[in-house]
Amino acid sequence: MTINEPRPEFSWFRRISSQFISDKDFDKLEKTSVKLIFKKGETILKQGGLPTHVVYLEKGIVKFNYENESSKNLILTIVSAPKILGGANLFYKDNNLFSFIAVEDCEVILIDAKVLEEVLVENSRFAMMMFQVASEMFKKSVMNFISLAHKQKEGRIADIILYLAAEVYNDTSFHLSLTRKEIAEFAGCSTENVIMTLSKWQTEKIISVDGKILAIKDIDKLKYISKIG
Amino acid sequence: MTINEPRPEFSWFRRISSQFISDKDFDKLEKTSVKLIFKKGETILKQGGLPTHVVYLEKGIVKFNYENESSKNLILTIVSAPKILGGANLFYKDNNLFSFIAVEDCEVILIDAKVLEEVLVENSRFAMMMFQVASEMFKKSVMNFISLAHKQKEGRIADIILYLAAEVYNDTSFHLSLTRKEIAEFAGCSTENVIMTLSKWQTEKIISVDGKILAIKDIDKLKYISKIG
DNA sequence: CATAAAACATTAAAAATTTCATGTTTGAGA
DNA sequence: TCTCAAACATGAAATTTTTAATGTTTTATG
């Protein structure tokens, strides 16, 4: 990670915040924030660490990673910029439940959690807005977990491809920055299963895979697979 | 469901709220609240409905139930009184993601969501507290999902038994109000699997089952099963 | 109290999924 | 550019889990 400009940008965050808090309060947040650049694979915030900062993801893609005692990973969700991360960590005083890891090169702004809390206490409508943002993210992971809990592998992988297209890459054709192994950690199945399923779907012309470029060719069929699980 | 006393009790909720809001604000909440009694199996709040109320569970046990298109149920979590439910619904304006269903006879107080929001906006520390309560609940379901996602059936069922003892019944021996089918819906596996696993554990003297009374006999072994997954 | 429905239970067969073994391709760093 | 590790790929064996078939027990209700 490299320290960059001393004065963060906050463009998207400033725009949505300005309806709720004063310039003075925003300056307070800005002054105590640091902008950092993380390379693909680097850990932005570590599971088990103290939630001293809230992460504003300005650019890039991040995975929420949970590592268990036997070093097996589970990806809870994947999000793309611009977004405020750490909804769970934000108001939760315990150690971080999971890590944030850059899936692509990221620009993030670390906001001092204490200062943010001060501002939230002074601006209840701003606090409510932040809660809502956090709840949205919560909802997304819950929906993924539900898919995971009572669909079979194909339905789960279909859900993930659809989710990536709709929420992360905003396109039915995208440069997949996740490895097969990571998709497996997201779907809660073995790597081989992901590889086999993707190959199968390619021969069935549901998707096409060319190097790292994945394109959904038959979104209706994919949605059908998701539906029947 | 039967309408009971016109004036709700709120005892636990009043005690924790009193540090944050005025008596006047509390009265405002109280006046617009209704106390209801739900019998085992009754739905307190329905999936898909509008989040017009926040539920204060005064007495009883409630399951968070998600029903999919093919009428398969998934239990997200189970909680016991006293507790504020609907953390996700509270700040989330969309339709309810899941239902609250009484697992035992329950006494609940339905708080008008609009009025509560007014009070929250006026009392940011109270809002922060409420969000923290919601986050705690979020954490519990996430931990269950994680267990679900990369443990095998036995590890998952062990996790559920341990969770019920520690968080719901507060005892290693308890009157199990869930059916095997419900445990299966919580563990994300088939009913037969739950039945077999419980029988097996009984012969291995890890638990004892006598009618509806379940007792953990060897908590270390159960924790070991949970750990190795 | 009778009776039907739901819950509980057990087993074998079928299906899904993982593990393992092996090999090729790709990509990052010396 | 060479080299090594990781990613990608495939198939078969082993394992886990579900489904189905069947029967007993418990519980709720007329």
Side-chain angles (χ1 to χ4, degrees):
Chain A
M1 107 182 68
T2 14
I3 294 176
N4 213 33
E5 309 142 41
R7 185 48 61 108
E9 286 291 338
F10 272 130
S11 50
W12 171 84
F13 185 45
R14 177 186 278 279
R15 197 165 66 245
I16 65 160
S17 306
S18 63
Q19 310 162 42
F20 302 102
I21 62 174
S22 63
D23 283 352
K24 192 171 136 282
D25 276 341
F26 198 91
D27 285 346
K28 193 169 149 187
L29 285 179
E30 211 169 15
K31 279 208 189 80
T32 53
S33 300
V34 203
K35 180 167 181 176
L36 298 172
I37 292 185
F38 289 87
K39 288 219 197 72
K40 183 176 178 161
E42 286 186 315
T43 298
I44 298 169
L45 224 123
K46 197 158 171 53
Q47 176 179 337
L50 287 172
T52 50
H53 293 86
V54 170
V55 177
Y56 166 58
L57 178 66
E58 191 167 65
K59 193 154 168 283
I61 296 176
V62 166
K63 64 176 172 182
F64 290 35
N65 191 79
Y66 179 86
E67 187 180 333
N68 73 359
E69 313 87 32
S70 29
S71 304
K72 265 200 197 174
N73 290 316
L74 173 71
I75 295 179
L76 304 176
T77 191
I78 292 179
V79 301
S80 61
K83 208 150 281 162
I84 290 283
L85 312 184
N89 292 332
L90 182 44
F91 307 98
Y92 191 68
K93 299 301 167 196
D94 250 337
N95 296 15
N96 302 323
L97 292 179
F98 38 80
S99 299
F100 294 136
I101 301 177
V103 160
E104 285 184 359
D105 294 356
C106 289
E107 295 176 23
V108 310
I109 296 173
L110 294 181
I111 307 169
D112 187 289
K114 276 228 165 57
V115 175
L116 178 59
E117 191 173 336
E118 282 168 32
V119 175
L120 288 174
V121 166
E122 295 300 316
N123 302 272
S124 57
R125 286 194 185 280
F126 180 58
M128 298 291 278
M129 185 276 284
M130 292 288 281
F131 294 158
Q132 236 159 298
V133 168
S135 301
E136 287 281 344
M137 212 115 81
F138 161 74
K139 187 201 165 184
K140 297 259 167 70
S141 1
V142 165
M143 292 321 265
N144 182 54
F145 280 129
I146 286 173
S147 154
L148 212 145
H150 58 184
K151 285 187 186 172
Q152 297 197 308
K153 310 301 167 186
E154 291 212 3
R156 284 140 68 164
I157 297 169
D159 279 343
I160 287 173
I161 302 294
L162 290 168
Y163 171 80
L164 291 176
E167 307 280 346
V168 177
Y169 299 106
N170 305 305
D171 196 341
T172 54
S173 170
F174 47 84
H175 175 99
L176 183 64
S177 30
L178 301 170
T179 64
R180 305 289 192 272
K181 184 160 167 283
E182 283 174 315
I183 296 175
E185 286 167 356
F186 200 1
C189 66
S190 68
T191 312
E192 285 85 349
N193 219 316
V194 172
I195 291 170
M196 256 182 35
T197 304
L198 293 184
S199 303
K200 192 182 138 206
W201 287 349
Q202 184 162 30
T203 55
E204 289 172 0
K205 303 219 189 304
I206 296 171
I207 62 172
S208 78
V209 186
D210 181 15
K212 279 289 183 183
I213 305 294
L214 192 153
I216 299 176
K217 289 293 172 193
D218 190 341
I219 197 162
D220 292 331
K221 206 168 275 181
L222 210 51
K223 281 182 180 164
Y224 176 73
I225 293 170
S226 155
K227 190 174 176 168
I228 62 166
Chain B
M1 105 184 69
T2 15
I3 293 176
N4 213 32
E5 309 141 40
R7 182 50 61 108
E9 286 292 336
F10 271 130
S11 50
W12 172 83
F13 185 46
R14 177 187 278 281
R15 197 167 65 248
I16 65 161
S17 304
S18 64
Q19 310 161 40
F20 301 102
I21 63 173
S22 64
D23 284 351
K24 191 171 138 281
D25 275 342
F26 198 91
D27 286 345
K28 192 169 151 189
L29 285 178
E30 213 169 13
K31 279 209 190 77
T32 52
S33 299
V34 202
K35 180 168 182 174
L36 298 173
I37 293 186
F38 289 87
K39 288 219 196 73
K40 184 176 177 159
E42 286 186 316
T43 297
I44 298 169
L45 225 124
K46 197 158 170 54
Q47 175 178 338
L50 286 172
T52 50
H53 293 87
V54 170
V55 178
Y56 166 57
L57 178 66
E58 191 168 64
K59 195 155 167 280
I61 297 176
V62 166
K63 64 175 172 182
F64 290 35
N65 191 79
Y66 179 87
E67 188 180 333
N68 72 0
E69 313 88 32
S70 29
S71 305
K72 265 200 199 174
N73 290 315
L74 174 70
I75 295 179
L76 303 176
T77 192
I78 291 179
V79 301
S80 60
K83 210 149 279 162
I84 291 283
L85 312 185
N89 292 332
L90 182 45
F91 306 99
Y92 191 68
K93 300 300 166 194
D94 248 337
N95 295 15
N96 303 324
L97 292 179
F98 39 81
S99 299
F100 293 138
I101 301 177
V103 161
E104 287 184 358
D105 294 356
C106 288
E107 294 175 25
V108 310
I109 295 173
L110 294 181
I111 307 169
D112 188 288
K114 275 229 165 57
V115 176
L116 179 59
E117 190 174 335
E118 282 168 33
V119 175
L120 288 175
V121 166
E122 294 301 316
N123 302 272
S124 56
R125 285 192 186 281
F126 181 58
M128 300 286 280
M129 185 275 285
M130 291 289 283
F131 201 77
Q132 233 159 299
V133 168
S135 301
E136 287 282 344
M137 212 114 82
F138 161 74
K139 187 201 166 184
K140 298 260 166 70
S141 1
V142 165
M143 291 323 263
N144 182 53
F145 280 130
I146 286 172
S147 155
L148 211 145
H150 58 183
K151 284 187 186 172
Q152 297 197 308
K153 310 299 168 187
E154 291 212 3
R156 282 140 67 164
I157 296 170
D159 279 342
I160 286 173
I161 302 294
L162 290 168
Y163 171 80
L164 291 176
E167 308 280 345
V168 178
Y169 299 105
N170 305 306
D171 197 340
T172 54
S173 170
F174 47 83
H175 175 98
L176 184 63
S177 31
L178 302 170
T179 64
R180 305 289 191 271
K181 183 160 166 285
E182 284 174 313
I183 296 175
E185 286 168 356
F186 199 2
C189 67
S190 68
T191 311
E192 285 81 355
N193 220 315
V194 172
I195 291 169
M196 254 182 36
T197 304
L198 293 184
S199 303
K200 192 182 138 207
W201 287 348
Q202 185 164 27
T203 56
E204 290 173 358
K205 302 216 190 306
I206 296 171
I207 61 172
S208 79
V209 187
D210 181 16
K212 280 289 185 185
I213 305 294
L214 192 153
I216 300 176
K217 290 292 172 192
D218 191 343
I219 198 163
D220 291 332
K221 207 168 275 179
L222 210 53
K223 281 183 179 163
Y224 177 73
I225 294 170
S226 155
K227 190 173 177 171
I228 62 166

